[in-house]
Amino acid sequence: MRAERHRVRYRFGRDDLLRTRFAISPLIELAAATYVLRLPSQFPEHKRWVEDVTRRMSELSLGLLYAALPLPQGSTTRPSFNALPPVVPHPHIEGELARLAATDPELVRSDVLRAYPAGVPDAARVFVDDPASGLAELVVQARAWWDVALAPWWRRISYFLEGEIASRSRALGDHRRRPGPRRSGPLGDVGRP
């Protein structure tokens, strides 16, 4: 049986495009780094980083950080209050952690309840029972994780991400300037790849 390839097509209106930003998010990178550390076999390209961080994190308490960033399991939705989209192109971690700390506790509670429809695990229970307290401790753990796991590498990571944004921006600009024939595919009109 032949596997079929499907294309996903997004339609953006003018207002959607006006709200689109290319930005680097220390908070989203912080969240992603927890997945890399907990699933190292899925990210062999980061082996050196995982080894370095593992040696230096023995004193850290990350239970709430991990509870707020559960590993993917099937179609489980993850909480999103803890990985806010940036509001400026290149925010600093201090500002992002301040934004996280200012999250409405009711949003934290509802987001965690939504993310755990089968029942909130004990490790995440504080986000429901006392979301303000849980959020305050989450910010402390996120800051400690940042200092150990990402701060020493941030300049390199940031340069890489800036290059990635520049490359994708150029590709987007090149695609717009290249007129070409349109063809019809299984999902309708599709521009040149």
Side-chain angles (χ1 to χ4, degrees):
M1 181 171 184
R2 193 177 119 200
E4 290 188 37
R5 295 182 65 161
H6 297 280
R7 290 182 185 240
V8 175
R9 186 171 178 193
Y10 297 96
R11 291 182 190 257
F12 289 92
R14 185 181 72 82
D15 290 340
D16 297 318
L17 290 175
L18 290 173
R19 286 191 306 267
T20 301
R21 301 287 182 270
F22 289 106
I24 295 170
S25 170
L27 216 47
I28 292 173
E29 294 302 321
L30 182 148
T34 70
Y35 300 124
V36 173
L37 184 74
R38 292 181 286 165
L39 300 168
S41 64
Q42 292 184 20
F43 303 96
E45 66 275 18
H46 298 301
K47 180 180 179 185
R48 181 174 160 217
W49 176 84
V50 168
E51 290 170 351
D52 179 59
V53 170
T54 300
R55 280 192 305 273
R56 297 184 302 121
M57 64 178 278
S58 63
E59 300 296 317
L60 295 183
S61 172
L62 301 174
L64 280 181
L65 185 63
Y66 289 172
L69 298 165
L71 294 172
Q73 296 175 1
S75 62
T76 301
T77 305
R78 288 177 243 157
S80 58
F81 73 88
N82 52 15
L84 307 166
V87 293
V88 297
H90 207 313
H92 295 282
I93 190 63
E94 291 78 15
E96 295 295 273
L97 289 173
R99 285 179 60 219
L100 177 60
T103 303
D104 178 358
E106 286 308 311
L107 173 64
V108 173
R109 177 183 283 120
S110 65
D111 201 25
V112 169
L113 288 169
R114 177 191 52 77
Y116 292 105
V120 177
D122 289 343
R125 195 77 220 158
V126 68
F127 293 123
V128 174
D129 297 340
D130 186 2
S133 173
L135 186 59
E137 179 57 27
L138 174 66
V139 171
V140 168
Q141 289 184 18
R143 181 64 211 210
W145 172 244
W146 174 269
D147 290 344
V148 167
L150 292 171
W153 298 78
W154 187 245
R155 182 179 301 229
R156 246 184 180 167
I157 293 168
S158 188
Y159 287 154
F160 172 80
L161 293 171
E162 288 169 2
E164 183 72 13
I165 288 172
S167 174
R168 289 178 185 261
S169 297
R170 277 192 306 275
L172 180 61
D174 288 346
H175 181 71
R176 285 182 165 172
R177 287 191 290 267
R178 269 189 303 174
R182 298 189 67 76
R183 61 185 171 80
S184 183
L187 300 177
D189 286 342
V190 182
R192 279 175 32 178

